[in-house]
Structure formats: C-alpha cells, structure tokens
Amino acid sequence: MKYRSTPWVDWQNYYATGDVGSRSEGPEAITKIGERLRPNGRGIDGALLDLEYQRIELIKFNLFDQNTYDEYVKGRDGRPGPTLKHWDEMRLPPGHENYQDVGADGKQLCKGGLITHRTLTGVCNDLINPLMGSTGMPFGRNMQFEATFPRLGLTELTRNRHGGRIDLLKPDPQLISRRLFTREQPEGNRCNAGMGDGDFSPDADCDYLKAPFFNVLAAFWIQFMTHDWFSHTDEGRNAPELQPVGCTSEEARTLGCREGDRREPSLYAETGPPESFEDGGQTYPKRSPQTTRNLVTAWWDASQLYGHDDRSLKRVRRDPDDPAKLLLQNSYLPLMPACAGYSGDCPVQPQWQGQEAAGFPDNWNIGMSFYHNLFTREHNYIVDKFREQQKQTPDADSGLRNPDDPKRVIAYKDVDDERLYQVARLVVAAEIAKIHTIEWTTQLLYNEPLYAAMNANWFGLFNQNEDRVSKILRRILQKDENFLSRISSTVAGWFSDSWDPKKANALYSVLASGAGIFGLGSQKTEDMLWWRHDGWDLAELEADVNGGINHFGSPFNFPEEFTSVYRLHALVPDLIEFREKETPNSISLKIPVFDTVRGRATDHMHSRGIDNWALSMGRQRLGLLHLRNLPLFLQNLPMPHLNSETGKLDIVALDLIRDRERGIPRFNEFRRQIGLKTLTSFDDFVDQRLDRDSTWRQHQEETVRRMREIYGTHTCDAGKIISKVQRNADGTFINDCLGHPDGSVVDNIEDVDNIVGWLAEYTRPHGFAISETQFHIFIINASRRLFSDRFFTSSFRPEFYSRLGYDWVQNNGLLAECPYPVTNQTDGSKACLEPEKINGHTMAVSPLKRLLLRNVPELKDEILHVRNAFDPWARDRGEYYSLAWKPRPGAESDPAFSTP
C-alpha cells in the first residue's frame, strides 16, 4: 500500500513481480489452483489481470485511423464501428498493378498468387482490405486527434495547457540535448566526445549508465526491427530544404551547441484543416491536423531484408546460382552497386556507397550489418534444408498448396525457386517475430508477469507450465492444445464476428490470451469423437484463410505515438568492447560505434568477422534508457549529405523536433490519453523507494532540478481546464493547478517533451528497461501487429509455410539439430529444451540462440552458456529474475565485471 499515492502503476508492488525478494512462502508454483490463492499466485495473476485490462482499455479508447475514424464513431449500416471489418478506403485504387486481380471496381478480394506469400508492398495481407498496411499508408494515432499538434494551439484545452510556452523550437532542442541528455565524462578517459582515441585502445573509455540485464545485441536488434516497421523518409530524405535545429540561447552555446546545424523538415501527406463530422450532438475531426505516411510496409514481414517497393527491391541481390537464395559472397552480403548518381536505375544514395546491399540501408552501422548478414545466412540455410528434402523425398507432400487448385498436392520436387524464396521469407519473418516476442521483450521487461504475458501472446496462457495430467490427456486425445486453450480459441472464433464490441474486441482479446494470438484461427475443428477433424479449407478465403485476424474496428497501421516511444538511442554505447572468440574474457579494442557507421561497417564486419562481433555485442551491457545517458557521438553526428554550414547534426535535438513536427502530445497529456495518472510536479519523477542519501536518488534530483530550469514554472489558474480525458477524484476535470491551490507556483510539467518525460521515469517495475509510458504504447501496438496479420494467425499453416517451414517456426529450427538431447515429452511430442529450468520454467532453447548456433557455429562453446541471447552472455542470471551483475563460471576474469 505504501506507494499507491504515487502516479505509477500498482502491479509492480504485487508479490512475485520482482526478484526473489518479492516472493513469499518460498518458490511455490503459480499454476496449480490451490497455490494461486497464496501470495505469489495472487501477485502474478493480479498483474496479468491488470495488464489484460489495460489492453482492453487501450483497444477501446486509443485507435484513431486517419481514413476511417468517422465510421469507427458512427458505425455503418446499423453495425457498431468497433466491430467493422471492411472499409472502402482499403481498396486498391484504379491504376494499381493488382487492381484487376482483386476485382477492380467490384467487390475486391485477394486470391491466387497474391495470397500465397508476403507481397513486396504489403498488399493482400488482409484479403478483403488489400491496401491495409501497405507501403505509403498514413500513420494512425493512439491519441485523440484534438490532442495532437499542441504547439499549434488549435483548441482551448491545448491553449490552457501550455499557455503559449511551446513551439517547434521552444524550449530550445539543443539546450535540452546538452543539459538533459549528455553523458558526462571524467577528465582524461580518452572518450573524445564518443570518438575514442583514434587507435581503438582498450584503455579508452566513455562512461555511461549500464543496464545489467540487457546487451548491445538488444540495442541494435530494435533498430533492425524499426527499419521493418516504419519510416517517415523517402529513401532516407525528408523535404528538400534546410531549417534550424535550435541553439538560440547563450547557455546552449556555452554548452557546445551549433547554430549552423540544419535539418530537412518532415514530409507531410495532408496539412490543410481536417474535415469534421457530427455524432450524438458532438463534432469530431476526421483526422489529425497534419498527417504523414509510413513509407515502408507496416507488416512484420522482414521488409528491411527483402524490400518494400520497386526501388528498394533493386538493392536486394538474389543468388544467380540458386535464385531461391539471397546472394552471399564469401559468407557475407555483397556491396551496393557503385553509382555515378542516385537514380531509378541505381537507387543508392551517396551516403550509402560502400555499404552492404540491403532493402533498407539507411542509418547503417555494425549492428545492422550483423543482423542483415545473420538473417541472410538463415534464409539460405532454410533453402539448403528444403533442397535436401527435395533430394531425399522428391515425391513427398511439401504441405504447400496453390489457392487456384487447393486440393492438388504439391510435392517437394514441384516447388519452384520463387515459391521456395517466398517460403524462406515467411519463415524468416515469423522467426523474427518470435524472437522479438518471447526473447527480446521478455529480457527488456525482465519479470514473471511479462514473461507470462509475452508467452501468452505467442503460445497462449493455458499452454504454459501445463501439468503432466493435461499433457497425458492431450496425448490420448491426440490434441496439440489443452482443453482450456481449445475452448478459449473456439469461443474467440465465435465472438470474432459479433456485432457487440464487448465480445468482438474486449472478450476476444482476453480469450486470445488464453489460446495465444499466434496461430489463432489456423485450425477449424469439425465433428466429434472419431470423426473430429480440421476442416480449415484453403478455398474458403474469407472464412478460413482470412478468418483469424481482428483489427478491432480500425484498419491496421502503426501510429505516430509508436514511432515516438521507439527513440531508444540511449541504449547504444559510444565504444564497443571488442573481443575475439579465442580470448573471450579479454577486451582487445574499444571501437567507436561512430567508426562503424555507413560504409565503414563493411570493412569492420569483413576484417574482424561476424563471430567476433556477435561475441562483443553479446557480452557488453547496453545503456540505461534514462536522461543524461545519450551517446556523445550522436550529438555531433556528421551529416555531409545535408550540405549545411556545420555538416553535423545533434540527433537528440532532431528527435525532439520530429516529435513536435508530427504532433506528439507533450508528456503529461500523452499519459492521460492512454489512461495513466497525471504528474503534478517534476519531483514526481524521483523514485520514492530509494533512500534519500543514495547516489542514484541524488542523480535523479539533479536531473529534476535541470528540468525545472529548462521548462520553468508559472502561477496557475484553477479556472483553466487543461484536459477532459480524465477527471479528478471529485469528478471535476483536471485544471491548470494540477491539484495545487489556485494561484500556486507550479512546474510547467505540461510542457515536458514526451521523450524527456519517459526517460525521466525512474520509478519502473522490476527489470523494466523501458518506462511504463512507453510500455503502454507497446501493450496495444505489439499485440495488434499479431492480431492483424493473417500470416501469424489463420494463415500460419503448411499450405503457405510448407511442412518444413511450419515445423521450423514451431521448433526454432530442425529438432535433429538441437544442441542438447531431444526431450520426449509426456504428450508424446519431442522438444529441444534447455537442460535446466530458467526462472522456474522448463524452456525451449530460445529461437535466436538456435539461429546463432547454426549460422555462427564458431561460437558454439560461448553460446551454449547463453539462456537468452539478449542477456549479457557472461552474466550469471542467478535466482528468479536477478539483476545482479555477476560473472558466470568461467567468466570471472572478464574486465567488464570489475565495475558495478
């Protein structure tokens, strides 16, 4: 009860939601009915209930599509808007190359070759809404349209909230960068503003706040992900003009800002005043005041590897000796073609020259090089194993089918190069999604509730920690899922088409947690007893092939707010502690990340080897996502292609401006819009659980002092209402005084930029590398990209993935290649499991660990120690979600453990 008066989420205080110190009555299980009534069971179950309720609320209140919002509010033909499944705005337009294929100006329905694989531009993922999620669609919002673009002061609420104090360059972005983001360095450590000492000496150092339970592989992983999900730029460029980046005060100039920095302004799709509509006596805007387009596909389709339009496809190189493969030369990606100038025939921007070929080549660095090479190897590995199957059993059923002739068996020998290429892409994309869901995110949010929640998204809550009796029953009944999971999946299917939003959305979301989103709707049980069978039919395009998706009444795309909370630059160190596999406990070099960007990444990757880079990034801790912890090199990043006076850019200042340009609400209103509590002063950021004399608390208080100096204070007016999305306890709307007496001097906390606010959230649940504000945006959007994707739900079947590909995704590779003896489970199945329990769980060998073992086999001895590939590889994980920075046996001499 002690911290319930603070503005932070409550479930972090429940039993068993932290490390072993949060547990009661010993390490009892939480899955048996009796023990669920004990403190640990109640704590975990309570946290999961809270998380599910939050998702229900976010689905209900925070989906705002720029094209269809009026129908969401008003409904159509008597059907409530939140239950709609089809929108005319998602039709392919005349002139689209597939317009005739999907039905032209009649009813549009994707079929044939358009539905067997992930298309280049993302069309036809949803068969009845072909345009959804495709390249060039507008970003949605998680915020009410009226709350966006607060700097424009378009409503009385925003004018009351900010009092004319904010604008595109107010407060000064470069002043905020230098005072609130800079990594302070001691004298003489040879950091050189993040550039190191020139000869990569291991004695150089750049201090940063380190996360003990997350490694540098994880930092670059999320950059690799976002390249697939969203991009506001056209081939890395914005609008063709240059604008200032701040540096308007003497204080900022004293701290080293540059008046001559310039940036290209954002690209907009629509900028005129939005149309409005009325419903129930209230007027609503149809869209936000300005909109932007997502210039890559919104689907989780590995488009950063395979391309998202015709231009990017020209950068993707296929192997001429086996067109089902991607081209590798000496086991590494080939380079971009050399071009005299960027053109349609050679789409290589000048700044990309010398880089390895990739569909999405912008912001390239050693981490991007690593992941692109790794997953290209994986693509080819899958093809090789399929080729082996073609040779061994050429006439056997591959599992694949042709939608134009769904009953005809396609034998392995009949699978052509293009179909195999697309099968490998499907498998790689699903592997990436699985790694992100159950491996990256469970380490990012390192506690038991989130382990259970993320695995529930993938496998289903009822399929976790299943007891022996249930497994035996499944074996007798020959079922892949237990009884509760099957019931949950079946009822979710019933509710999917309901006209009642509570059933179609809220209860559907709850039931999906029981059965698991991944694969939802991919089976259709018919008849009973001996006649019981899977009636899923490839010929039933709408009912079966497309039947497992749910958009909750709002077409799927990523919202602007999702891109905002992924500004995670603080994760990246300035110097990479380079190691070699022969001596993994020694740091041989300190290589600046800056020295590995763009074309220089290629030289480093080829000369030093993917194995050594994996080891180096796997062992090193990444940076904490907090203020005063930004990589120094990013404040001074050379951008010669902009042809500005300085030729440099402060990326923090750019991040702030981009959020302001794209209409992200400032931090406090951002929180209110997603159901979180209001902060009433800068002091609320300080973690009250810390001792007052602790060094970390003093660090936080100093940060708060700087925030107050930058954003300032004002005399409040209780007569000014600043928000109507929440009410105070007495039923009144929140006013300018934020609970303080009228006429008080209050902090300008309403003006705090979103990124500044969530980085200042020092009160976080145990093991959270991100803030609760960021996390709530993830709750809704991370689930939606599974809910909405046919290839992760009802089309996750051998008819699309092949039998080999389907099993590959389920088992994280071939069972025959498990690094440990394959386990015969009680239900009769076989599994590749870790030899010891992890945080109390019997776990499969994780997908990225398996992928590393088969594609970077030189690291086998190192990787076998790893349990989660995003946990520092030499760390002892300890007992029950320990965050201690301690070496595992054999790594005691690693110098990384000489500092806390």
Side-chain angles (χ1 to χ4, degrees):
M1 301 294 291
K2 185 175 181 181
Y3 300 106
R4 294 199 71 186
S5 62
T6 66
W8 313 109
V9 295
D10 195 35
W11 65 261
Q12 64 175 300
N13 303 312
Y14 297 176
Y15 281 112
T17 57
D19 60 15
V20 69
S22 70
R23 305 188 72 174
S24 173
E25 301 180 22
E28 68 266 67
I30 65 168
T31 56
K32 297 176 182 177
I33 295 298
E35 291 177 340
R36 297 186 93 87
L37 303 178
R38 296 183 182 180
N40 290 353
R42 295 201 310 273
I44 300 302
D45 289 350
L48 290 172
L49 284 169
D50 282 3
L51 292 171
E52 185 58 66
Y53 188 75
Q54 288 165 7
R55 181 163 72 178
I56 290 170
E57 294 286 282
L58 289 162
I59 288 172
K60 181 177 180 179
F61 292 115
N62 293 93
L63 298 180
F64 299 91
D65 180 66
Q66 306 280 8
N67 289 324
T68 65
Y69 181 59
D70 55 339
E71 288 192 332
Y72 184 87
V73 173
K74 295 189 298 183
R76 187 201 312 140
D77 299 328
R79 181 164 188 160
T83 69
L84 295 176
K85 294 180 174 295
H86 171 262
W87 301 269
D88 286 343
E89 291 82 357
M90 298 296 116
R91 295 168 57 89
L92 295 188
H96 192 283
E97 62 178 338
N98 300 122
Y99 181 63
Q100 296 295 332
D101 301 324
V102 301
D105 61 352
K107 176 184 176 180
Q108 290 196 352
L109 178 68
C110 298
K111 50 189 179 294
L114 283 173
I115 77 168
T116 59
H117 58 274
R118 294 188 178 276
T119 58
L120 176 62
T121 62
V123 299
C124 286
N125 192 311
D126 184 324
L127 304 189
I128 63 174
N129 297 289
L131 202 59
M132 185 191 299
S134 62
T135 302
M137 293 299 288
F139 283 102
R141 307 296 310 213
N142 288 142
M143 308 282 145
Q144 290 175 323
F145 294 144
E146 302 93 319
T148 63
F149 293 89
R151 65 184 176 86
L152 300 179
L154 298 177
T155 70
E156 182 181 5
L157 290 176
T158 55
R159 292 191 293 270
N160 287 347
R161 192 179 306 134
H162 301 294
R165 296 182 299 268
I166 66 170
D167 205 342
L168 198 60
L169 298 179
K170 288 172 56 180
D172 183 352
Q174 288 202 58
L175 175 62
I176 294 173
S177 171
R178 301 291 161 163
R179 292 221 64 198
L180 292 179
F181 284 77
T182 299
R183 285 176 176 164
E184 292 114 346
Q185 302 296 316
E187 291 289 336
N189 69 347
R190 297 159 68 178
C191 179
N192 187 28
M195 304 299 180
D197 65 358
D199 60 2
F200 306 158
S201 168
D203 296 325
D205 194 23
C206 287
D207 278 8
Y208 64 104
L209 303 173
K210 302 178 179 70
F213 57 96
F214 224 24
N215 62 22
V216 173
L217 279 178
F220 289 123
W221 172 266
I222 199 55
Q223 186 184 8
F224 179 63
M225 291 295 93
T226 57
H227 281 187
D228 177 30
W229 296 337
F230 53 75
S231 176
H232 288 81
T233 66
D234 182 12
E235 293 284 275
R237 303 306 295 265
N238 283 281
E241 60 176 288
L242 296 181
Q243 294 184 353
V245 192
C247 195
T248 57
S249 69
E250 186 60 37
E251 181 183 10
R253 289 189 284 271
T254 300
L255 293 171
C257 75
R258 296 176 298 273
E259 294 180 80
D261 280 15
R262 292 292 182 271
R263 64 179 181 88
E264 295 174 329
S266 286
L267 295 167
Y268 292 108
E270 298 170 286
T271 57
E275 295 181 17
S276 61
F277 66 95
E278 292 190 7
D279 183 71
Q282 186 171 345
T283 300
Y284 300 86
K286 285 190 173 183
R287 60 166 174 82
S288 56
Q290 299 175 348
T291 66
T292 61
R293 298 191 186 280
N294 187 357
L295 297 178
V296 300
T297 68
W299 304 113
W300 215 343
D301 57 3
S303 61
Q304 73 273 58
L305 297 169
Y306 299 101
H308 56 270
D309 59 15
D310 289 335
R311 285 184 302 178
S312 58
L313 184 62
K314 292 177 181 178
R315 296 189 288 265
V316 180
R317 307 279 295 278
R318 301 274 284 269
D319 189 335
D321 296 326
D322 185 348
K325 290 184 174 182
L326 293 163
L327 181 61
L328 290 173
Q329 296 173 339
N330 298 318
S331 298
Y332 291 97
L333 285 165
L335 300 187
M336 295 271 196
C339 300
Y342 176 74
S343 68
D345 293 330
C346 189
V348 182
Q349 296 276 6
Q351 66 269 27
W352 300 338
Q353 293 287 345
Q355 292 179 196
E356 292 149 305
F360 192 117
D362 203 22
N363 302 315
W364 195 259
N365 55 49
I366 195 64
M368 296 306 93
S369 175
F370 170 76
Y371 281 117
H372 277 261
N373 276 290
L374 180 66
F375 281 100
T376 299
R377 291 184 179 190
E378 176 71 354
H379 175 105
N380 291 353
Y381 196 99
I382 294 165
V383 172
D384 283 339
K385 294 302 176 181
F386 199 98
R387 294 293 193 209
E388 289 180 15
Q389 200 71 42
Q390 286 179 313
K391 292 179 180 178
Q392 293 170 7
T393 58
D395 296 315
D397 183 359
S398 69
L400 295 169
R401 295 294 184 269
N402 183 345
D404 293 330
D405 188 5
K407 300 300 182 184
R408 184 176 68 84
V409 171
I410 298 178
Y412 277 101
K413 67 181 180 182
D414 297 326
V415 179
D416 62 24
D417 294 338
E418 183 61 24
R419 187 72 187 268
L420 178 51
Y421 175 85
Q422 297 297 347
V423 164
R425 176 180 179 172
L426 276 173
V427 173
V428 167
E431 285 185 288
I432 287 172
K434 189 175 186 180
I435 290 166
H436 188 83
T437 303
I438 69 167
E439 194 165 3
W440 186 85
T441 307
T442 57
Q443 197 66 35
L444 173 88
L445 310 168
Y446 192 54
N447 58 45
E448 181 63 19
L450 269 299
Y451 171 85
M454 298 314 300
N455 279 273
N457 267 3
W458 195 267
F459 301 110
L461 194 62
F462 295 134
N463 292 317
Q464 296 182 54
N465 295 328
E466 191 180 1
D467 64 31
R468 186 170 181 272
V469 173
S470 177
K471 289 181 178 180
I472 292 173
L473 283 173
R474 285 202 291 109
R475 182 177 183 181
I476 293 171
L477 298 172
Q478 296 182 328
K479 299 301 177 188
D480 292 332
E481 299 175 294
N482 66 43
F483 175 75
L484 291 173
S485 180
R486 294 199 306 275
I487 292 296
S488 185
S489 179
T490 299
V491 179
W494 294 344
F495 287 169
S496 176
D497 293 324
S498 173
W499 283 36
D500 181 348
K502 284 187 177 180
K503 292 180 179 178
N505 294 350
L507 291 178
Y508 184 95
S509 170
V510 173
L511 292 162
S513 296
I517 302 171
F518 191 81
L520 196 63
S522 63
Q523 294 189 15
K524 187 177 178 181
T525 303
E526 295 182 344
D527 295 327
M528 299 178 67
L529 301 175
W530 295 276
W531 297 276
R532 194 179 182 97
H533 66 282
D534 180 11
W536 190 97
D537 189 346
L538 183 58
E540 295 292 335
L541 297 181
E542 293 188 51
D544 291 353
V545 176
N546 213 51
I549 58 177
N550 194 333
H551 310 305
F552 305 104
S554 185
F556 173 73
N557 202 337
F558 290 116
E560 292 281 10
E561 289 75 21
F562 185 70
T563 68
S564 173
V565 299
Y566 265 117
R567 301 193 185 283
L568 307 181
H569 294 124
L571 296 176
V572 179
D574 284 287
L575 307 178
I576 294 182
E577 299 168 352
F578 188 78
R579 304 163 187 270
E580 297 172 295
K581 60 182 180 296
E582 293 80 11
T583 55
N585 288 340
S586 299
I587 298 171
S588 58
L589 302 169
K590 295 276 187 74
I591 301 177
V593 172
F594 172 75
D595 202 75
T596 75
V597 302
R598 304 187 183 115
R600 286 173 290 183
T602 302
D603 291 338
H604 278 290
M605 178 56 68
H606 292 189
S607 63
R608 304 187 191 281
I610 193 172
D611 49 355
N612 292 323
W613 280 111
L615 173 69
S616 302
M617 292 186 286
R619 282 216 173 188
Q620 186 175 354
R621 291 179 284 176
L622 52 64
L624 286 174
L625 277 172
H626 280 307
L627 293 173
R628 299 164 63 191
N629 200 33
L630 188 96
L632 292 165
F633 76 90
L634 285 179
Q635 291 176 312
N636 308 284
L637 190 66
M639 301 286 278
H641 61 281
L642 292 180
N643 295 317
S644 66
E645 176 187 328
T646 63
K648 294 184 179 181
L649 195 57
D650 184 330
I651 299 302
V652 179
L654 182 65
D655 282 349
L656 291 163
I657 292 171
R658 291 295 186 230
D659 271 5
R660 296 173 183 179
E661 278 186 315
R662 295 166 187 161
I664 302 298
R666 297 295 172 107
F667 174 72
N668 232 9
E669 181 63 14
F670 190 103
R671 282 177 60 83
R672 288 189 288 260
Q673 288 276 326
I674 54 176
L676 297 175
K677 292 182 181 180
T678 291
L679 277 66
T680 63
S681 115
F682 295 130
D683 296 324
D684 284 341
F685 285 114
V686 176
D687 189 346
Q688 301 300 315
R689 298 170 298 185
L690 299 172
D691 292 337
R692 290 192 173 276
D693 58 352
S694 75
T695 302
W696 185 227
R697 179 159 180 162
Q698 291 169 4
H699 177 97
Q700 296 174 22
E701 290 171 345
E702 169 60 18
T703 302
V704 163
R705 185 185 68 80
R706 297 184 189 188
M707 292 175 71
R708 188 170 282 120
E709 288 180 354
I710 291 172
Y711 287 100
T713 60
H714 72 279
T715 301
C716 73
D717 180 354
K720 291 183 176 180
I721 304 301
I722 64 170
S723 181
K724 290 188 176 181
V725 294
Q726 289 184 13
R727 295 178 185 267
N728 296 309
D730 62 3
T732 60
F733 288 122
I734 296 169
N735 64 52
D736 183 45
C737 290
L738 297 173
H740 301 285
D742 190 20
S744 299
V745 175
V746 298
D747 288 334
N748 292 340
I749 194 164
E750 295 298 327
D751 301 345
V752 171
D753 291 273
N754 190 43
I755 184 175
V756 173
W758 56 253
L759 283 171
E761 288 182 46
Y762 293 105
T763 308
R764 300 179 181 181
H766 175 86
F768 262 46
I770 59 174
S771 74
E772 71 172 46
T773 302
Q774 291 172 283
F775 173 60
H776 276 68
I777 296 297
F778 293 171
I779 287 176
I780 183 171
N781 294 299
S783 298
R784 283 201 83 209
R785 63 187 172 217
L786 294 178
F787 275 126
S788 286
D789 196 322
R790 171 171 63 89
F791 288 107
F792 293 150
T793 52
S794 47
S795 291
F796 176 64
R797 290 182 60 92
E799 287 90 339
F800 301 96
Y801 282 76
S802 78
R803 172 52 59 187
L804 181 143
Y806 179 89
D807 291 341
W808 195 287
V809 176
Q810 294 285 57
N811 299 318
N812 303 328
L814 298 176
L815 282 176
E817 296 181 346
C818 181
Y820 308 110
V822 173
T823 301
N824 294 308
Q825 301 197 102
T826 310
D827 63 359
S829 66
K830 298 180 182 295
C832 179
L833 304 178
E834 287 285 351
E836 299 175 355
K837 287 189 175 184
I838 302 169
N839 293 322
H841 297 284
T842 299
M843 289 175 54
V845 182
S846 69
L848 184 53
K849 176 176 176 177
R850 292 286 309 277
L851 196 144
L852 287 165
L853 283 167
R854 58 182 169 260
N855 292 292
V856 194
E858 305 91 330
L859 288 179
K860 180 179 179 181
D861 290 343
E862 175 78 13
I863 295 172
L864 283 177
H865 294 288
V866 172
R867 297 297 175 258
N868 183 306
F870 298 112
D871 199 337
W873 288 4
R875 185 177 84 98
D876 186 338
R877 287 166 68 93
E879 181 185 0
Y880 196 71
Y881 300 100
S882 169
L883 306 184
W885 183 238
K886 293 168 50 179
R888 62 163 172 78
E892 294 86 353
S893 63
D894 187 328
F897 293 98
S898 62
T899 56

